[in-house]
Amino acid sequence: MSSNSVFVFIAVTLNLIGLFVFYFYSQKHNSISYVFGFFVVLTSILTGISTALIHKENRSQSHYINQIKDYEKPHKMHLLLVEKLKNNAKNNRYVGQIKILDGQSSFGKIILNISKANRITNLKIGELLQVNGTIFKNRNPQNPNLFDYGKYLENQEIYAQVYTKHKQITVENYESSLWASFSNFRETIISNLEHSDISKEELNVLNALILGQQQDISPETLKDYQYAGAVHVLSVSGLHVGFILLFITFLLKPIGNSRKGSLFKLLIIVVSLWAFAVLAGLSPSIVRSTTMFSFIAIGVHLRRTVTIYHTLLVSMLLILLFKPSFLFDVGFQLSYLALFFILWLQPILSNIWSPKNKIIKYIWNIITVSFAAQIGAMPLSIYYFHQFPGLFFITNLLILPLLGIIMAVGVVAILIATFETVPVFIAVPIEFLIKLLNEIIHLVASIDSFVIKNISFSKEMLIGSYLVIILVILWIKKPEFKQLVFVFLSVILLQSIFIFQKKETLNKEELIVFNYKKNTLITERNGDGVTVYSNDSLLENTTNDLVIQSYLVGNFCQITNKKKLENFMYFKNQKVLIIDSMCIFPKKINPDIIVIIQSPKLNIQRLLNVYKPKEVIVDGSNYKSYIRLWEATCRKEKIPFHNTNEKGFYKL
């Protein structure tokens, strides 16, 4: 156990002693009750820290990440398949649990990538495989401001990926478990649905809506849902679980409300909800929803008034005690924020107007719920995704009534698909309804001018925005002068953050050599203006280039100039020599930095002897065999060498 762990657990012990002492002491002396409150808060924080430490698998010496000494050579492992992931262009992908590594007992989750170059039969969750392959640790982003996929995987206790081929895999046996049974049962349902008269695109959306499986949805459809502000529909969450609860309650209505009957109904409801959650893949949003609705069902059974805020907090506490990594999951954060603001803000918005007509009232409720959820999730959503769908309320207004019908027919289709293919009189209506849903989403998403993209938003702006939103709502609920003062102070703070961010942006200068495969990309930044250096094909498509746009958005910049690559550049009194495939460069200069691109055939030893640079940079456009030779020569001459393929982008 590390010294940090010992310190935390000693602190927890001492804090618990203090908590109990001041609890009993505060019963007789109300004047120190605030001390007891302090210990309660401290207990919550320390409990969270200790829980996170306990669940951190890579701290164990038996974890595979601590057993691998050489990542260059192939490794032999036995691993259990636990989850199917979305395939990419080159590989079929799974999550596996390592059991044995190179003949040594081991454990830990790893992503298994199986090359599509060879035909492979579908593997089943629960199968124990013997695999030979090369293991690669998670890497940091190779370019600035890109999504950190390695950190995302580490938050799920996945620290590496293994790449292999079909001929290097042997299926040993099948380990039966509840999770494997549900996963394979889900695959049976999907297989029966595939053999029904439902077209592929509509079937993929149905699998997402009911079974939580988004892996096969096309990028175009997914983008439409994002631009229309309806991507939450594709994630099984409170809306779906609430419908399942109503459906089960309706089926159990004939059972009496005697003591035994109520207990039996409660058990059926809770078991059914969690069976559905497991079937849908136990995503953070569905775990949150299922936990919360389970508490509501228990409260109804006990005939107690269920305080929804308490239910929300208790469900969050229980989930994080068992799965602390969910705290870093974007879906978990957004779902809780959206639900909290629906509960807190929607009643205020709803009271602005009270229409008497039932249809108008229904429409008004949808609008207020949508606004409350979007106001709560908007700052965090912009921070993560840098875009905002302006027509989200129209989308929800159009699709929510339709979604209720789709859920009703979809559940019937899923129930039938557990035994056989879905008959035509069910398949045709569900296909029509989902096609209608997709067309509505596409129509809203196609109004491109209402989708605000590439919004620069820092962590400080995120905190400042939530402070303003919370204080404004508190002032609306209790309109007093003191509350209004706090609102104005929060607005001034947010404006100060914007001003500071603008000043920081304008004072920054940097030159970046990006890690771009088979191409070269260099940017020179002066304040909020960026000059892009590359070839014609890349310069013509900068607006759609993820690498360039991520950098611009993350640094509050915009492109002010585009230029073809040159052989010589000056940056802050430093001379930068760029050597390309033509291998033509001036000789009577003394460059501080040499950037080698596009695999030139040059004598690196002679080059270093002539120029004696302070550093040599190579990017992703060079052959790996050339890079190894250049690196060895630079190491021999004791000249720093930066390979963007290994170290990521270079910043001067």
Side-chain angles (χ1 to χ4, degrees), residues 33 38 44 46 60-61 68 114 126 142 181 183 256 321 377 489 548 600:
S33 59
F38 168 77
S44 301
L46 290 173
S60 171
Q61 290 302 312
I68 300 172
I114 306 171
Q142 296 295 94
S181 299
S183 296
L321 281 175
L489 288 174
I548 296 174

Side-chain angles (χ1 to χ4, degrees), residues 318-373:
L318 283 177
I319 291 167
L320 293 178
L321 281 175
F322 288 98
K323 198 74 174 176
S325 61
F326 273 8
L327 183 62
F328 305 101
D329 187 273
V330 180
F332 183 85
Q333 295 169 5
L334 287 172
S335 61
Y336 264 103
L337 271 171
L339 184 57
F340 173 76
F341 273 87
I342 287 171
L343 298 172
W344 190 37
L345 180 58
Q346 194 271 338
I348 300 172
L349 297 175
S350 183
N351 289 334
I352 294 173
W353 181 41
S354 299
K356 294 180 180 179
N357 185 285
K358 288 184 178 180
I359 297 174
I360 297 174
K361 189 174 183 179
Y362 174 75
I363 294 171
W364 176 241
N365 283 335
I366 291 176
I367 292 172
T368 54
V369 168
S370 299
F371 264 101

Side-chain angles (χ1 to χ4, degrees), residues 555-568:
N555 291 280
F556 297 80
C557 300
Q558 58 185 349
I559 296 174
T560 54
N561 206 354
K562 299 178 184 179
K563 294 183 179 180
K564 288 186 178 181
L565 284 164
E566 301 171 353
N567 290 113
F568 196 73

Side-chain angles (χ1 to χ4, degrees), residues 294-515:
S294 297
F295 275 107
I296 292 172
I298 292 168
V300 171
H301 169 72
L302 295 174
R303 292 179 172 82
R304 293 181 180 177
T305 303
V306 181
T307 306
I308 196 67
Y309 293 109
H310 292 171
T311 304
L312 200 66
L313 290 171
V314 171
S315 68
M316 183 189 291
L317 176 64
L318 283 177
I319 291 167
L320 293 178
L321 281 175
F322 288 98
K323 198 74 174 176
S325 61
F326 273 8
L327 183 62
F328 305 101
D329 187 273
V330 180
F332 183 85
Q333 295 169 5
L334 287 172
S335 61
Y336 264 103
L337 271 171
L339 184 57
F340 173 76
F341 273 87
I342 287 171
L343 298 172
W344 190 37
L345 180 58
Q346 194 271 338
I348 300 172
L349 297 175
S350 183
N351 289 334
I352 294 173
W353 181 41
S354 299
K356 294 180 180 179
N357 185 285
K358 288 184 178 180
I359 297 174
I360 297 174
K361 189 174 183 179
Y362 174 75
I363 294 171
W364 176 241
N365 283 335
I366 291 176
I367 292 172
T368 54
V369 168
S370 299
F371 264 101
Q374 283 292 344
I375 288 171
M378 180 176 61
L380 193 66
S381 180
I382 293 173
Y383 175 71
Y384 281 124
F385 306 114
H386 303 290
Q387 65 181 30
F388 179 72
L391 296 177
F392 65 88
F393 59 95
I394 291 179
T395 304
N396 288 328
L397 195 64
L398 292 173
I399 70 169
L400 283 180
L402 181 61
L403 194 62
I405 303 171
I406 291 172
M407 287 292 295
V409 182
V411 167
V412 174
I414 295 296
L415 289 174
I416 294 172
T418 57
F419 305 104
E420 57 184 13
T421 57
V422 180
V424 175
F425 67 88
I426 297 290
V428 171
I430 193 70
E431 181 183 347
F432 170 77
L433 290 168
I434 294 176
K435 188 174 287 186
L436 179 61
L437 175 69
N438 288 345
E439 286 177 358
I440 292 171
I441 294 292
H442 178 71
L443 180 65
V444 176
S446 63
I447 309 174
D448 198 55
S449 56
F450 283 93
V451 182
I452 307 168
K453 304 173 188 174
N454 298 328
I455 306 171
S456 297
F457 206 68
S458 66
K459 195 175 291 184
E460 293 77 17
M461 291 178 182
L462 173 70
I463 296 168
S465 299
Y466 273 116
L467 185 63
V468 171
I469 290 169
I470 290 168
L471 289 174
V472 167
I473 295 171
L474 288 173
W475 174 69
I476 293 171
K477 289 174 75 74
K478 194 177 181 181
E480 295 180 352
F481 178 74
K482 186 171 73 173
Q483 304 278 13
L484 186 60
V485 170
F486 283 121
V487 170
F488 278 117
L489 288 174
S490 67
V491 172
I492 291 169
L493 176 64
L494 184 59
Q495 288 176 328
S496 302
I497 292 170
F498 274 99
I499 293 168
F500 176 79
Q501 188 74 61
K502 186 70 175 176
K503 184 180 177 183
E504 190 180 54
T505 300
L506 291 173
N507 290 336
K508 198 161 187 178
E509 295 178 57
E510 62 186 14
L511 181 93
I512 292 183
V513 179
F514 288 78
N515 182 52

